Amino acid sequence: MVWNGVHFNLNTIIPWYVILIWTVLYFALLAWAWRPKEGRPFGNFKTIDFVYIALIAALLIVYNFFISPLIPKVGTVTTYFYYPIIGETFLVMLAAALVGKPGSAGLTMVIYTLLADIIHYGFGGEPSGLFMRLHHTPQ
């Protein structure tokens, strides 16, 4: 299967229906956690929570694209730790700790993924297909 120039291997160890069940379960739990409460569309989330999530997602971009590539030039930390994942995990846990509501870490990672696609691929089409070539017109 090929989509947007990316080859997908559908014959993997985990069957597709297991992935589908986990995805549906995740979004069902997220919809339950974000159910409208007290007339607000995102449940208990307040504006300051979205500000924290957006700031941490922006810090994740800065760490992943600018700080993380500089770390091996400073020392031999790569021998002992896989520093990109440690830094990203720390920042996502920081967002979850600051917000303290269900779905805050997932929302942080969704915003991080959208920003990373914009920075890395631009709007010209990317493998994740999150923006699906917004300004490209076929000829």
Side-chain angles (χ1 to χ4, degrees):
M1 180 177 173
V2 178
W3 181 70
N4 201 12
V6 177
H7 298 271
F8 294 99
N9 182 10
L10 298 178
N11 300 318
T12 60
I13 295 172
I14 303 173
W16 66 269
Y17 54 86
V18 173
I19 296 172
L20 180 67
I21 290 170
W22 279 108
T23 305
V24 168
L25 182 65
Y26 173 76
F27 283 113
L29 287 173
L30 198 63
W32 177 79
W34 284 8
R35 67 188 182 278
K37 298 175 195 163
E38 301 170 4
R40 287 182 282 179
F42 290 108
N44 287 331
F45 280 93
K46 297 182 176 139
T47 305
I48 192 68
D49 298 331
F50 291 117
V51 169
Y52 285 147
I53 288 171
L55 286 174
I56 296 295
L59 283 174
L60 274 166
I61 292 293
V62 170
Y63 178 78
N64 194 21
F65 285 99
F66 302 109
I67 297 172
S68 182
L70 295 176
I71 292 176
K73 297 179 184 344
V74 177
T76 58
V77 71
T78 57
T79 310
Y80 305 107
F81 303 107
Y82 188 60
Y83 55 90
I85 294 297
I86 293 172
E88 290 177 8
T89 304
F90 172 76
L91 288 170
V92 170
M93 286 192 299
L94 179 65
L98 284 173
V99 176
K101 294 180 176 71
S104 58
L107 184 60
T108 304
M109 290 307 294
V110 166
I111 294 173
Y112 163 71
T113 303
L114 293 173
L115 289 175
D117 282 347
I118 291 172
I119 289 175
H120 192 266
Y121 297 106
F123 289 105
E126 61 274 349
S128 68
L130 291 173
F131 290 106
M132 301 289 293
R133 298 180 179 236
L134 291 176
H135 71 283
H136 178 73
T137 55
Q139 300 180 4

